[in-house]
């Protein structure tokens, strides 16, 4: 199972278009600080890939990953060079569909960007509440219908789904929280823990598992159970500490109040990750997070606990 990290930033990316905070200014001055919105490509079979979340950066994220280029054949590299065009007709793609962890704008706006799928349609794997939010809140199906049909597959905890018929990778969804996107707060969608899920990816050839959880308002027992068994865990690193959103003036709420457990401090996620045998990485960094600066001392604090910060373009094989 091959995972390509397509982006590692929270909403706005790094830099964010209207922000001059130290992280965003630093990223303008030093391009290697830049991070696109958090997303992952998962290889389902030789030349079939699923994207986890569809961000506002999806077009650039596809172009920056050679394996996602149309006509890339079995290429698995994530670089700017395109492989030879091997099929017939010019409209084709190794991207088989999209998997959604939630219905947040940062994770769904890119769906409309793929309207050129045309008659081929787009396959979306999502929980019931996420599907309903996109249908009734964003009116995505009605708006995209004249361009490309959407087909849905239900993500659940009980019934892992095979990505494609020939794929040995299955995916299931661990309910994390009932945190609704702001645009969906008043929607008549039944509540449940499955507004936000963690994904459990299993490679049945090797038995390896990975957990991807870019939004963690809480750390449920079911999540703890899967991360204890996992080989790789990639989780919400939006904020370094609970006070960061207030200190930096981006919100009147704490990190936890905004639906993101902080990394550091009591109840933070670092103390959950440090004891795991899994390779553990943070993603979904907000531009206020000191980790945006590659020379920040917080990187060593994490490294001392055996925890990594994911970077755009990282490739993980399991
Ligand atoms: C999140 O990641 O929690 C959302 O982007 C927050 C929001 O914009 O409402
Ligand atoms: Mn977000
Ligand atoms: Zn900023």
């Amino acid at each position: 199972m091959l995972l390509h990290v397509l982006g590692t930033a929270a909403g706005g990316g790094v830099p964010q278009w209207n922000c001059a905070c130290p992280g965003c200014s630093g990223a303008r001055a030093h391009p290697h600080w830049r991070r696109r919105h958090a997303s992952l490509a998962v290889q389902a079979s030789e030349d079939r890939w699923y994207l986890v979340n569809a961000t506002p950066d999806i077009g650039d994220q596809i172009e920056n990953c050679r394996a996602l280029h149309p006509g890339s054949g079995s290429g698995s590299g994530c670089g700017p060079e395109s492989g030879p065009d091997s099929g017939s007709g010019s409209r084709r793609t190794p991207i088989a569909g999209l998997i959604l962890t939630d219905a947040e704008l940062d994770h769904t706006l890119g769906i409309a960007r793929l309207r050129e799928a045309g008659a081929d349609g787009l396959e979306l794997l999502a929980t019931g509440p996420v599907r309903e939010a996109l249908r009734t809140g964003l009116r995505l199906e009605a708006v995209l219908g004249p361009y490309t049909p959407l087909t849905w597959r239900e993500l659940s905890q009980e019934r892992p789904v095979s990505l494609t018929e020939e794929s040995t990778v299955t995916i299931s969804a661990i309910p994390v929280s009932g945190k609704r996107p702001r645009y969906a707060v008043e929607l008549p969608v039944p509540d449940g823990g499955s507004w936000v899920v963690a994904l459990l990816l299993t490679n049945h050839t090797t038995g390896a598992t990975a957990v991807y959880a870019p939004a963690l308002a809480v750390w449920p027992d079911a999540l703890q159970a899967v991360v204890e068994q996992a080989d790789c865990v990639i989780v919400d690193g939006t904020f370094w500490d609970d006070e960061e959103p207030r200190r930096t003036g981006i919100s009147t709420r704490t990190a936890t109040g905004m639906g993101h457990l902080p990394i550091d401090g009591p109840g933070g996620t670092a103390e959950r990750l440090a004891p795991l045998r899994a390779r553990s990485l943070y993603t979904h960094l907000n531009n206020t997070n000191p980790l945006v600066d590659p020379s920040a001392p917080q990187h060593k604090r994490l490294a001392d606990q055996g925890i990594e910060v994911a970077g755009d373009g990282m490739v993980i094989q399991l």
Side-chain angles (χ1 to χ4, degrees), residues 225-292:
V226 294
V227 297
E228 280 174 6
Q229 301 301 319
D231 298 285
C232 180
V233 174
I234 307 174
V235 303
D236 185 346
T238 309
F239 298 113
W240 176 260
D241 64 81
D242 213 25
E243 283 300 319
E244 181 184 316
R246 298 210 278 220
R247 189 173 57 247
T248 56
I250 62 157
S251 176
T252 54
R253 291 176 293 168
T254 61
T256 310
M258 290 181 72
H260 296 284
L261 291 176
I263 293 173
D264 196 38
T269 50
E271 64 183 22
R272 300 280 194 170
L273 298 180
L276 299 178
R277 68 167 188 88
R279 179 177 179 192
S280 301
L281 307 99
Y282 282 113
T283 188
H284 202 270
L285 273 65
N286 197 53
N287 40 57
T288 53
N289 190 322
L291 291 170
V292 163

Side-chain angles (χ1 to χ4, degrees), residues 154-226:
E154 176 107 6
L155 278 183
S156 77
Q157 186 168 12
E158 301 77 30
R159 291 177 308 281
V161 294
S162 258
L163 285 181
T164 60
E165 262 171 41
E166 63 280 18
S167 181
T168 61
V169 178
T170 63
I171 182 154
S172 58
I174 316 298
V176 165
S177 74
K179 184 199 172 215
R180 291 169 173 236
R182 281 187 261 173
Y183 71 82
V185 166
E186 312 238 298
L187 287 185
V189 177
D191 261 313
S194 45
W195 276 96
V196 180
V197 297
L199 302 176
L200 172 63
L201 302 150
T202 306
N203 176 355
H204 291 273
T205 309
T206 62
T209 63
V211 175
Y212 185 68
L216 289 174
V218 289
W219 191 285
D221 292 344
L223 178 65
Q224 182 63 23
V226 294

